[in-house]
């Protein structure tokens, strides 16, 4: 059972459990969730589908991930189906895969800018989503604000 006030990950988004609404729809109880990335959004999750959520990573797991950011390799930059590759990584629900997406989209963007080419909308979208999802979780677990996590990520990403 999820406790009101706690945080969970639902479909890659860190959500705060606001409460349980009894007999909300078809006589079923629902969790009322609010994603950190969009506090205006209200997600109603049937209590019997709580298996679609996961607990936030532990503090030890977060520090381990942060310490290894520099050694996590990006995807092959010239892959033909980048959008499908990004989507598959998102669906894996593995924070390390979000690091791969951030690093890959950043490198692709820098390469395109260097060639005076337009940055792809797909890369921009997946970069922002991956950053929001990963940094939101790390900010809660490490008790840091979003920008502090972003700066920490940048420092660690440049080290090998």
């Amino acid at each position: 059972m999820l406790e009101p006030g706690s945080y969970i990950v639902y479909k890659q988004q860190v959500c705060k459990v606001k409460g349980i609404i009894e007999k909300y729809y078809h006589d079923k109880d629902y969790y009322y969730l609010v994603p950190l990335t969009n506090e205006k959004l209200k997600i109603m999750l049937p209590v019997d589908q709580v298996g679609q959520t996961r607990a936030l990573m532990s503090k030890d797991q977060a520090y381990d991930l942060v310490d290894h950011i520099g050694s996590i390799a990006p995807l092959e930059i010239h892959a033909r189906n980048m959008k499908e590759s990004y989507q598959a990584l998102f669906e894996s629900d593995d924070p390390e895969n979000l690091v791969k997406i951030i690093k890959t989209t950043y490198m692709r963007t820098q390469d395109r800018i260097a060639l005076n080419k337009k940055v792809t909308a797909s890369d921009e979208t997946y970069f922002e989503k991956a950053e929001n999802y990963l940094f939101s979780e790390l900010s809660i677990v490490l008790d840091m604000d979003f920008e502090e996590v972003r700066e920490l990520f940048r420092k660690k990403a440049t080290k090998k």
Side-chain angles (χ1 to χ4, degrees):
M1 179 144 193
L2 303 177
E3 294 297 320
S6 65
Y7 293 93
I8 52 99
V9 177
Y10 175 66
K11 296 188 177 185
Q12 290 285 18
Q13 294 190 67
V14 175
C15 297
K16 185 170 190 171
V17 179
K18 290 291 194 172
I20 299 173
I21 300 176
E22 295 178 2
K23 301 186 187 310
Y24 176 72
Y25 185 70
H26 288 291
D27 244 11
K28 291 173 85 175
D29 296 345
Y30 279 70
Y31 288 111
Y32 169 24
L33 310 174
V34 176
L36 291 187
T37 56
N38 183 355
E39 294 184 1
K40 293 179 182 176
L41 183 62
K42 178 167 107 174
I43 298 173
M44 302 306 289
L45 176 69
V47 170
D48 62 359
Q49 292 181 17
V50 73
Q52 296 178 11
T53 67
R54 71 170 171 81
L56 296 179
M57 67 180 93
S58 70
K59 198 169 246 185
D60 287 341
Q61 291 170 318
Y63 281 123
D64 187 51
L65 177 66
V66 168
D67 288 342
H68 293 94
I69 286 171
S71 64
I72 297 171
L75 299 173
E76 174 59 43
I77 292 176
H78 301 292
R80 287 183 177 207
N81 299 316
M82 290 309 292
K83 192 172 182 178
E84 290 81 8
S85 297
Y86 294 153
Q87 193 59 41
L89 290 176
F90 266 112
E91 291 171 5
S92 74
D93 199 31
D94 180 354
E96 190 171 304
N97 286 336
L98 296 176
V99 174
K100 290 178 184 180
I101 293 169
I102 293 167
K103 290 175 99 173
T104 302
T105 54
Y106 179 80
M107 290 172 56
R108 286 173 48 90
T109 297
Q110 294 307 305
D111 288 349
R112 292 186 70 79
I113 289 170
L115 296 171
N116 291 323
K117 291 185 175 181
K118 184 179 177 189
V119 176
T120 67
S122 177
D123 281 340
E124 282 183 334
T125 299
Y126 281 100
F127 178 81
E128 288 175 13
K129 278 176 61 173
E131 257 198 350
N132 283 335
Y133 295 169
L134 180 63
F135 297 174
S136 292
E137 184 169 2
L138 290 173
S139 70
I140 294 293
V141 173
L142 299 177
D143 194 27
M144 300 169 77
D145 71 34
F146 193 91
E147 288 306 317
E148 289 174 314
V149 172
R150 178 180 276 145
E151 187 57 34
L152 177 63
F153 184 92
R154 287 184 181 146
K155 286 179 185 173
K156 296 290 187 174
T158 58
K159 293 182 181 178
K160 292 236 176 181

